[in-house]
Amino acid sequence: MNRSVFFISDGTGITAETLGHSLLAQFGCVTFEQYTLPYVDSFERAQQAVKKINEVATEDGCKPIIIDTIVNKEIRQVIANANGCMFDVFETFVGKLEAELGVKPANQVGKHTVDTLAYKTRIDAVHFALDNDDGARTRQYDSADIILIGVSRSGKTPTCIYLAMQFGIRAANYPLTEDDLDGECLPKALKEHKNKLFGLMIDAERLTAIRNERKANSRYASPQQCQQELRAIESIYRNENIKYLNVSEMSVEEIATRIIHLAGLKRRIN
Amino acid sequence: MNRSVFFISDGTGITAETLGHSLLAQFGCVTFEQYTLPYVDSFERAQQAVKKINEVATEDGCKPIIIDTIVNKEIRQVIANANGCMFDVFETFVGKLEAELGVKPANQVGKHTVDTLAYKTRIDAVHFALDNDDGARTRQYDSADIILIGVSRSGKTPTCIYLAMQFGIRAANYPLTEDDLDGECLPKALKEHKNKLFGLMIDAERLTAIRNERKANSRYASPQQCQQELRAIESIYRNENIKYLNVSEMSVEEIATRIIHLAGLKRRIN
């Protein structure tokens, strides 16, 4: 079963998409054809959106789902005339919020001013993650919030970047190499910061698949090598009493939020 | 005016937060104290959440706002008994979606299986962004979706990473240096890929402030230097007919989605 879905916003469209993806995930048996229409902030853009929705409705022979976060009522009204089934997020929630808070909503098209401090915190954290990726340097570990460790290709880099981008957290990462793993002990640079370490664990089968994408049929990607590295690193985590998480079945978002939760990290931005 | 808000989810909490932030932004005169409670996926965790909400309600002397995306009805019911004003996202939308689609929702706690292809696309794009950051190399430009150019500290790196993480887009970036700017011409490596170039522009005042954070009172951060570089780069954009965007007032999300829109880029993941 197929169904078209439009995410429509006067801003980036990210809220409409994020909410939409969560809702649609509850209907796994339906395949959704997705369209995102951002910056629908004028009557002209709204009319273009309606035209597109109506075209798709005709093609599909059934009404597209519309999930919108448009603030302006008049523009929203234009979209409401399209041949679709509309889920209007602001209409649904803002009235009840207004009643509860006893305050009028701004009803302004979604041009948020940039929070300068949060922006700086976030960009600094991204640069920190890049500068401290892959064990490139260790001298900034004093100012790290967390240091992720794990074998090569267990997901450290994307997790650090997500922690920085989404939460402003300063995350470094350090890959344990064969030397570290053979000796089953932590390198000196890490020992000094043991309270900041957090380990990533991954199933050998998944690691083999990921490494094969990178270097097919190499020793590096062989099941034996992967198993051996993972056995060794798990010993280190246990012996050194380092918290760790098996990330095999997780998205980057989930890895990041689980780590915050397990490590008791404080976000730097909300 | 202050008010406490709880974002509660059986998963990461990102959907509840994203939606919540959009809604609360409409009430700019209220300061919201935010709490995110992820992984509320058991009665025990739900009861802990209720306890926390009730404590905050007593402290504040008024009901916290609760925005939740819990799938399981019984667990949701536990939260509904807290002393708060609940905005239940799934309750609100899933019934109507069910009626429209004619399909029963899964009603399973938010454990989405990882889409392996999308995961790989995304992680590859992140590694591409890192490998091709800051003009580090140019030999992979053939496989880039876009190459961002701009002066130092105009926001290229975070934008590339966001494009990769959120949309799986392979984005490189190249800083135009004083030599390029003095000659007002593009380096050879860029000329060969002119159709992939996109320029970032920023106000001199904002650039000065950002550079001063990095190297206070340097020539690099001086208003004169910033103005001169920006004048030169704008000439290049115009003479070479390169699309560009002034990002001074934009969040990383907005820069990224505007670029997709203006450059007509295709997302690699939805």
Side-chain angles (χ1 to χ4, degrees), chain A:
Chain A
M1 182 181 171
N2 285 285
R3 195 69 177 256
S4 293
V5 185
F6 283 81
F7 304 116
I8 308 185
S9 169
D10 48 34
T12 63
I14 290 167
T15 301
E17 281 185 13
T18 305
L19 172 61
H21 288 162
S22 285
L23 292 171
L24 302 181
Q26 290 300 307
F27 300 92
C29 54
V30 183
T31 305
F32 294 99
E33 180 71 29
Q34 301 176 29
Y35 301 85
T36 301
L37 308 181
Y39 305 113
V40 177
D41 53 7
S42 67
F43 287 107
E44 195 193 342
R45 293 268 302 144
Q47 279 147 4
Q48 287 167 358
V50 171
K51 188 160 169 270
K52 179 73 187 166
I53 294 164
N54 291 349
E55 281 169 15
V56 170
T58 307
E59 266 174 46
D60 290 357
C62 85
K63 289 183 186 182
I65 308 289
I66 302 170
I67 296 177
D68 91 282
T69 57
I70 296 173
V71 175
N72 182 289
K73 275 185 196 173
E74 284 79 30
I75 294 176
R76 219 150 65 195
Q77 204 45 55
V78 177
I79 305 292
N81 288 324
N83 186 18
C85 173
M86 191 158 164
F87 293 77
D88 192 320
V89 177
F90 277 62
E91 184 80 41
T92 307
F93 288 121
V94 169
K96 185 178 165 191
L97 256 178
E98 182 183 343
E100 179 63 25
L101 295 170
V103 169
K104 285 260 166 232
N107 277 333
Q108 277 165 358
V109 174
K111 246 313 205 206
H112 314 299
T113 51
V114 176
D115 175 341
T116 313
L117 181 62
Y119 184 86
K120 185 183 165 330
T121 302
R122 187 181 193 192
I123 301 307
D124 283 354
V126 168
H127 285 287
F128 184 90
L130 297 193
D131 291 343
N132 293 280
D133 184 41
D134 211 29
R137 62 175 81 163
T138 58
R139 65 175 187 278
Q140 296 185 335
Y141 283 5
D142 278 336
S143 69
D145 295 322
I146 191 164
I147 303 162
L148 298 189
I149 59 177
V151 301
S152 168
R153 286 280 152 154
S154 52
K156 300 179 298 301
T157 298
T159 305
C160 285
I161 286 175
Y162 192 84
L163 284 167
M165 189 69 93
Q166 187 78 10
F167 305 113
I169 289 172
R170 295 163 70 89
N173 76 80
Y174 192 103
L176 291 188
T177 62
E178 277 196 79
D179 282 351
D180 307 319
L181 295 169
D182 285 348
E184 291 199 8
C185 78
L186 288 175
K188 186 166 166 291
L190 296 183
K191 275 191 184 152
E192 293 167 12
H193 299 278
K194 231 182 100 176
N195 60 329
K196 293 185 181 178
L197 301 183
F198 193 99
L200 299 192
M201 194 60 199
I202 186 169
D203 295 342
E205 203 179 333
R206 181 142 170 81
L207 185 62
T208 305
I210 294 170
R211 288 187 174 182
N212 257 313
E213 291 279 355
R214 197 173 170 205
K215 290 189 194 168
N217 305 317
S218 61
R219 174 167 165 275
Y220 167 78
S222 69
Q224 295 78 356
Q225 178 68 19
C226 291
Q227 278 161 17
Q228 193 179 315
E229 289 186 27
L230 290 169
R231 257 197 308 265
I233 207 163
E234 198 162 22
S235 295
I236 295 178
Y237 294 158
R238 288 188 174 157
N239 295 339
E240 301 279 351
N241 218 1
I242 295 167
K243 280 186 190 162
Y244 66 102
L245 178 68
N246 188 321
V247 302
S248 304
E249 299 293 323
M250 293 184 186
S251 65
V252 177
E253 287 84 347
E254 186 168 4
I255 302 170
T257 53
R258 291 257 180 209
I259 289 173
I260 290 176
H261 191 58
L262 292 168
L265 279 182
K266 213 174 139 45
R267 300 163 169 214
R268 290 178 182 271
I269 50 177
N270 270 308

